[in-house]
Amino acid sequence: MNRVRIVITMFVLALLTIVILGWVWTTGHQPPPARTASHAVLAAAACAGVFALVKIWRPDPPRSGSDR
Amino acid sequence: MHTGSTGTVAVDPRERFIERLNSDRHELALRVFMVIVLAHWVEHLLQGLQIYVLGWPPPEARGALGLLFPWLIKSEALHYGYALVMLIGLWMLRKGFTGKADHFWWMLAFGIQFFHHIEHGILQAQAILGHNLLGRPVPTSLVQLWVPRVELHLFYNTIVFIPMVIAMYYHLFPPAQEETRPQCACALHAAGSVSAA
């Protein structure tokens, strides 16, 4: 189970990295209305990623068993 | 489909194919589907790196495939085709998600992908007709009227993929309180499973 969780976590961390880089880049390269819109969707994407992490790592896990 | 003369039951090959995809071939089908989805993700993440880290102008940032085949990535048909493949894959593999939690998240991903596919359909229609929405210089989807394309599609792909991942997580590890009737062998350990009658 933890192996699957770690793989998902690695992906989400890569996604969050791109989102943060995107936030920084759009701040400096896009005009205000587009920048605000980009920030909104990037923030929502980050929230979705964090939500997935909370969902899979929360302390009330599925019934335990052996890892594959 | 029934064959009345012999009394035997002949199953439509298409139905049989879908049935197998959602039972003994579900794990394989999901693996293949994930390879396609992750390859698409690599392209988007690479595009993000090209723009945000390497400082390439957005029209020049075409991921890996676009470096080799620039025409390919400029083609709205390719983007629409992928959105359609995603939509069909999510629909075809849905019946294998027999639990409450995994089915909910999978169908949520399907619903969001449906909208994403409509957005690509609008782009594809403009490419075919040669007229862009509101006289824009490039094909423009509805939400793209407000949000730049790269960030918008990073967002779309995320909000489709996250419910997919959660669905597959619950598919592999069914919640303890949930009684499932698995048709496939995907679950790494069955929780509260009820053998199918």
Side-chain angles (χ1 to χ4, degrees):
Chain A
M1 180 188 288
N2 277 341
R3 202 187 303 173
V4 173
R5 284 170 160 171
I6 288 166
V7 169
I8 296 172
T9 302
M10 297 293 281
F11 176 83
V12 171
L13 290 179
L15 174 70
L16 291 176
T17 304
I18 290 292
V19 164
I20 292 166
L21 292 169
W23 184 286
V24 173
W25 186 87
T26 53
T27 301
H29 291 81
Q30 289 181 348
R35 180 197 311 153
T36 306
S38 290
H39 283 178
V41 293
L42 290 172
C47 288
V50 171
F51 176 79
L53 293 184
V54 171
K55 202 78 181 155
I56 64 166
W57 284 101
R58 68 181 176 179
D60 175 27
R63 190 173 292 174
S64 61
S66 60
D67 280 350
R68 188 192 280 181
Chain B
M1 189 190 303
H2 296 273
T3 55
S5 57
T6 59
T8 57
V9 177
V11 180
D12 182 340
R14 273 181 305 180
E15 281 179 28
R16 178 77 188 125
F17 175 68
I18 300 288
E19 197 181 299
R20 289 200 70 188
L21 275 186
N22 284 285
S23 53
D24 57 326
R25 297 289 184 198
H26 199 231
E27 184 178 351
L28 177 66
L30 281 178
R31 281 176 190 260
V32 171
F33 192 46
M34 278 305 286
V35 167
I36 295 169
V37 172
L38 288 175
H40 179 243
W41 257 116
V42 167
E43 289 292 315
H44 273 276
L45 294 179
L46 211 54
Q47 185 188 38
L49 280 177
Q50 288 167 345
I51 297 171
Y52 304 145
V53 179
L54 301 177
W56 294 10
E60 300 302 315
R62 305 187 199 105
L65 269 183
L67 289 179
L68 299 172
F69 313 104
W71 57 270
L72 187 69
I73 228 72
K74 286 178 184 170
S75 158
E76 288 298 346
L78 174 83
H79 297 285
Y80 180 72
Y82 175 77
L84 201 59
V85 165
M86 274 288 286
L87 195 67
I88 292 169
L90 285 164
W91 182 254
M92 284 176 69
L93 298 174
R94 77 191 188 286
K95 286 185 178 170
F97 291 84
T98 52
K100 196 176 170 184
D102 63 356
H103 189 76
F104 169 79
W105 288 104
W106 192 258
M107 291 312 289
L108 180 64
F110 173 79
I112 299 169
Q113 179 59 22
F114 184 78
F115 181 75
H116 185 192
H117 148 270
I118 295 291
E119 286 272 271
H120 276 292
I122 292 168
L123 292 167
Q124 174 64 7
Q126 291 168 62
I128 291 170
L129 297 172
H131 291 285
N132 297 332
L133 194 65
L134 301 177
R136 295 278 177 120
V138 290
T140 305
S141 69
L142 293 177
V143 184
Q144 206 184 321
L145 291 171
W146 296 279
V147 186
R149 181 162 179 161
V150 172
E151 288 75 29
L152 178 62
H153 286 273
L154 194 61
F155 167 69
Y156 277 147
N157 287 305
T158 302
I159 61 168
V160 171
F161 189 63
I162 293 296
M164 264 180 75
V165 166
I166 296 173
M168 282 192 276
Y169 179 76
Y170 283 139
H171 192 56
L172 296 178
F173 308 105
Q177 69 277 13
E178 192 172 291
E179 284 191 350
T180 59
R181 291 176 185 275
Q183 304 174 154
C184 57
C186 298
L188 297 182
H189 43 80
S193 64
V194 176
S195 58

